[in-house]
Amino acid sequence: MKKIYILVILLFSSLSFGLTFKDGKQVDDSQSNNVSQKATNMQTSKNAGEVKSFKPFDCSKLETEYLRINNRNDCIIIQELSNKYEIKSNDFDTNTWNRALLVRYIDNKDDEKIIAHTWNNVVKWGESSNKQPFSHLAVIDIPDLNEIFLNLNQLSSSHYTLPLTARRLDTIDTDNDGDKEIIYLSNREDGRNRNSSWKDVNYVFDLNDSSLSKFGSSHFSHDLMYIDFNDDGFFEVIDYFYDPGGQIEVCDLKENKCTKSKNSTQFIEIGFNHILPSKDGAIMFGGCPNSGDTTFCWVKVDYKNNKLSFKKLDSYELKPQPKDKAKFLIWTGDINDRKGWWVEGSNKKMFKLARKSWMSTSIDYDNDGFTDSVGIEKDNLCTRNDISKPFDTPGGDCKEQALLYVFKNINDERFEKHQVIPTTIHDTFRIEKADINKDGTMDLYGFRQGYYDPWSVCKRPQLKSVYLNKQNKYFERASNKLIEENFGLYGCERASNFFEKDGQYYRLFITTPDAEAEVAYIGIENYNGEFLTDETEDLSDEQLSALGVVSANEKKDIKTEQLDANNMINDKKPKAKEVLSVISILKDVSPLDKTEASSFKAMIEPVYFDTLGINLTGAKLISFEKNYLMYEGLFNYKEIEFSIPLCSQYWDEYKFIGNLVGFNYMNGFGNIEKLKKYGIGWCGDTIGFFGHWDKNEIIKTETELFPFLKELESNWPMIFGNFTILDDSQNKIIDGWK
């Protein structure tokens, strides 16, 4: 026993290289709500972090096949990152920075820094262990942000190995000195299961003196929230944690005192909650108790005498409560019962899992002085072949779909659904905010892509989870054209962070040259180009409805024929052209029933088509030959699911992959009879298809589907990268279509 203890101490000491621990206080009121105590056994090391020099180079010199240069922007690589996992959790992840948790620019009083943080697997997934966890932090000194693009001089950086593993972290001014620090809510999600003996407390890393301070009690932290309740200039940090049973610990950073609130689970569940200021305190947003998978809750929060009190404010039901249960194997190796609904007619092979909204944020999108809420509804369709075995969650049995919900804050008294948007933002670590398109409004974007499938992040367009705030009225997904015209693509980009400095706009990113690269890089791009602008005319209720925005006149009949291909018009009056509009077309599709829809194989990730506002969520293989692939695609529009037969054909003489829509093959486009006349072309030896290059001008003049045909072409790499309908030999054939 003594040997084990000594070993743990030695390991801790070696991992604290480069850190100085400050004395702090922590409270565990498991016996009393008012008892405080000083943290004990603080480990101290006065060593500095590993200092490295790096000579920046132009992003165009990256050796990667995934390179798109934007000649209007400057872009440089400013750091190399090469930390490897101590224990690999899979065959493909080698560099820990493939899953970065933070990359951010810090403008402190005396210096500018760029920081990045990631974690390390130290335990095999699902095992029990008491091994000390650790993470990696890189801090790059920036002498002058404006000058680094002009003079590619050596940059100095410090690299730390932190004795913690954090899944919740941010940069805030914790001590009211005008400088930001890094705050970590630590937990054990480094592979070990929850029966492990290791318990983490929380930490603050001071960038000025490289010191690490502990605060809070030992538990499995989950939700990081912070707010200055009493306007004294110091944040109160709220930590919602597991083990035991779900509690909230609030830490007053001015008094350095922490207190637990044990009644919080009566009001709100754990799960990426956020807190927002209100006119007389604060409001917490998250899942409702015992129904967090299907219902959102808002709770009024008061803070007095170092204690939190709660009062239910409002709720919103996303879908009915689940009625069934199924066995699931989770990442810890445990088998748990999870709630959901059996798919009718699947003979217990398919299960629709009720899941939490794991992402949320707050934003005053309409600039009315009241902070609004943004959350995500997730649907998981799970499929297994052997009903005697549980559904294998880490093994890929479940495929996700998601909707982004925007809720308007009505006078801090209630919240109304304002907008619902099909999204892929759920595969990110968090939702962040920035004025990305430089129009004076705050936009939303997903911090990270490609968490579960490293290869797809290389094949699909980057920055796919950017939502632009339009005139403080609604959000609209940034088009691929806007992204491609205004940003470069520099390898397999894993994370982005947008910021502004002195009127200049920048994007930080972490990238790898390919999916399995052992080296990662931090890059910075300044973007100067003029963004594509939309008309600033007020939109009608009908137009807003087409964008998923709920208006005051939501229930009135909508003349959808008035809308154009982009779900908007440039005049206040309807366009006077006798064509089949996008919305009228989608209104006429024949929905599939649940049994029909469940027969499709889910995409790894849905592919979004912004010309129609629809998601490709699944596919069925129809036929595969050496030079063409014919498949049926499952699409959703709002809550409607319908199918379209599609074809990808390769012409070797032109080195061209053409993508076609089967308007007059099988049931055609959503089984719409009036569209079948456009199916005049061939896929292989089968007639009934049409592609955007075909010489049929009628489809351009009679419908607004032509932009969709072109987008089908541009989305082909993303579609192929997310297929689950092809075997290895078929994938190799398509890989050869170049």
Side-chain angles (χ1 to χ4, degrees), residues 631-697:
Y631 62 101
E632 188 177 5
L634 177 67
F635 291 83
N636 69 21
Y637 172 66
K638 297 186 177 178
E639 297 181 357
I640 299 172
E641 292 186 296
F642 65 98
S643 67
I644 306 173
L646 300 164
C647 172
S648 300
Q649 184 155 356
Y650 177 64
W651 285 270
D652 185 59
E653 61 268 34
Y654 305 111
K655 307 299 180 186
F656 172 65
I657 304 172
N659 288 273
L660 309 96
V661 173
F663 288 109
N664 198 24
Y665 177 72
M666 300 176 61
N667 288 327
F669 188 112
N671 203 20
I672 300 177
E673 188 68 30
K674 61 182 111 180
L675 295 180
K676 291 184 178 180
K677 67 179 180 179
Y678 303 117
I680 61 171
W682 297 81
C683 172
D685 58 359
T686 304
I687 197 168
F689 291 80
F690 188 82
H692 74 85
W693 65 90
D694 285 324
K695 297 179 179 180
N696 184 357
E697 296 298 319

Side-chain angles (χ1 to χ4, degrees), residues 109-129:
K109 291 183 298 185
D110 298 326
D111 55 8
E112 301 172 72
K113 300 181 185 294
I114 288 172
I115 62 173
H117 180 93
T118 193
W119 56 280
N120 204 313
N121 257 54
V122 299
V123 178
K124 188 176 179 181
W125 287 103
E127 288 189 352
S128 178
S129 175

Side-chain angles (χ1 to χ4, degrees), residues 82-198:
S82 57
N83 303 98
K84 296 181 180 180
Y85 286 108
E86 180 162 301
I87 296 184
K88 292 177 65 175
S89 59
N90 48 56
D91 293 332
F92 46 81
D93 273 334
T94 55
N95 191 319
T96 64
W97 295 95
N98 289 353
R99 299 182 178 182
L101 300 184
L102 184 75
V103 56
R104 190 165 292 179
Y105 167 79
I106 303 292
D107 188 11
N108 281 343
K109 291 183 298 185
D110 298 326
D111 55 8
E112 301 172 72
K113 300 181 185 294
I114 288 172
I115 62 173
H117 180 93
T118 193
W119 56 280
N120 204 313
N121 257 54
V122 299
V123 178
K124 188 176 179 181
W125 287 103
E127 288 189 352
S128 178
S129 175
N130 62 358
K131 188 176 183 179
Q132 167 73 53
F134 62 91
S135 304
H136 304 288
L137 173 66
V139 181
I140 307 165
D141 293 316
I142 307 297
D144 188 335
L145 188 62
N146 296 319
E147 292 294 321
I148 64 172
F149 293 94
L150 302 174
N151 302 308
L152 300 184
N153 297 322
Q154 297 280 344
L155 290 177
S156 177
S157 63
S158 298
H159 296 250
Y160 304 91
T161 299
L162 306 184
L164 58 91
T165 176
R167 295 276 288 160
R168 314 290 176 259
L169 68 164
D170 210 339
T171 53
I172 61 174
D173 186 359
T174 60
D175 52 6
N176 199 23
D177 67 349
D179 288 339
K180 287 186 176 180
E181 293 80 39
I182 308 173
I183 187 167
Y184 296 99
L185 262 62
S186 299
N187 62 28
R188 309 185 303 276
E189 290 189 351
D190 61 352
R192 72 191 73 213
N193 65 32
R194 292 178 189 171
N195 295 320
S196 298
S197 61
W198 183 265

Side-chain angles (χ1 to χ4, degrees), residues 171-440:
T171 53
I172 61 174
D173 186 359
T174 60
D175 52 6
N176 199 23
D177 67 349
D179 288 339
K180 287 186 176 180
E181 293 80 39
I182 308 173
I183 187 167
Y184 296 99
L185 262 62
S186 299
N187 62 28
R188 309 185 303 276
E189 290 189 351
D190 61 352
R192 72 191 73 213
N193 65 32
R194 292 178 189 171
N195 295 320
S196 298
S197 61
W198 183 265
K199 299 284 187 179
D200 274 328
V201 298
N202 303 322
Y203 300 87
V204 172
F205 184 86
D206 192 321
L207 292 162
N208 289 328
D209 61 8
S210 302
S211 64
L212 194 69
S213 306
K214 293 183 178 183
F215 72 94
S217 54
S218 298
H219 48 245
F220 183 17
S221 300
H222 198 275
D223 289 333
L224 168 61
M225 295 168 278
Y226 51 87
I227 195 168
D228 185 2
F229 276 107
N230 49 15
D231 295 322
D232 64 353
F234 288 81
F235 286 108
E236 282 72 48
V237 176
I238 299 172
D239 176 9
Y240 204 163
F241 60 89
Y242 293 108
D243 303 338
Q247 299 181 54
I248 285 178
E249 184 172 64
V250 57
C251 293
D252 187 324
L253 296 186
K254 182 180 182 179
E255 298 182 13
N256 208 6
K257 180 185 291 185
C258 299
T259 307
K260 292 178 185 176
S261 299
K262 298 181 179 180
N263 63 341
S264 53
T265 53
Q266 303 173 29
F267 299 93
I268 204 159
E269 284 192 347
I270 298 175
F272 281 91
N273 301 326
H274 70 258
I275 195 165
L276 50 132
S278 68
K279 55 190 175 185
D280 56 352
I283 298 170
M284 191 179 297
F285 171 82
C288 298
N290 303 314
S291 59
D293 296 325
T294 59
T295 309
F296 289 145
C297 267
W298 290 263
V299 177
K300 185 73 172 65
V301 184
D302 287 319
Y303 177 73
K304 294 179 181 178
N305 300 321
N306 301 114
K307 295 181 182 180
L308 296 175
S309 60
F310 306 88
K311 181 182 179 180
K312 185 175 179 181
L313 189 65
D314 203 356
S315 63
Y316 180 84
E317 187 177 73
L318 299 158
K319 50 198 170 190
Q321 291 297 305
K323 58 182 180 181
D324 303 318
K325 291 182 179 179
K327 299 284 185 185
F328 281 82
L329 173 68
I330 63 174
W331 68 267
T332 61
D334 300 315
I335 296 175
N336 294 343
D337 282 329
R338 289 191 169 180
K339 296 178 180 179
W341 308 266
W342 289 107
V343 175
E344 188 176 350
S346 70
N347 296 319
K348 299 285 179 92
K349 289 186 176 181
M350 302 182 75
F351 189 79
K352 198 166 186 178
L353 185 65
R355 292 300 307 274
K356 294 181 185 293
S357 169
W358 287 109
M359 294 293 144
S360 70
T361 193
S362 60
I363 184 172
D364 184 7
Y365 78 88
D366 54 0
N367 200 30
D368 66 350
F370 294 96
T371 306
D372 311 296
S373 288
V374 177
I376 291 179
E377 177 191 7
K378 293 174 65 173
D379 278 332
N380 283 48
L381 182 62
C382 306
T383 305
R384 63 185 178 185
N385 294 320
D386 188 348
I387 63 172
S388 68
K389 296 181 179 180
F391 290 98
D392 187 351
T393 305
D397 282 357
C398 299
K399 306 300 180 185
E400 293 181 347
Q401 300 177 32
L403 294 170
L404 185 72
Y405 277 75
V406 182
F407 294 95
K408 179 177 175 59
N409 183 339
I410 310 298
N411 300 321
D412 286 337
E413 296 172 353
R414 58 190 178 89
F415 288 79
E416 290 184 350
K417 182 181 71 174
H418 176 71
Q419 190 176 7
V420 184
I421 315 168
T423 185
T424 54
I425 205 171
H426 66 287
D427 66 354
T428 68
F429 182 68
R430 62 178 166 265
I431 305 172
E432 293 202 340
K433 296 164 285 189
D435 183 8
I436 296 174
N437 61 346
K438 307 185 291 185
D439 67 349

Side-chain angles (χ1 to χ4, degrees), residues 18-45:
L19 306 174
T20 301
F21 290 97
K22 294 177 179 177
D23 187 32
K25 299 176 182 177
Q26 71 182 70
V27 171
D28 185 339
D29 73 338
S30 56
Q31 303 299 320
S32 168
N33 271 347
N34 296 312
V35 178
S36 68
Q37 61 184 35
K38 287 189 176 181
T40 58
N41 298 322
M42 290 292 189
Q43 302 291 328
T44 302
S45 172

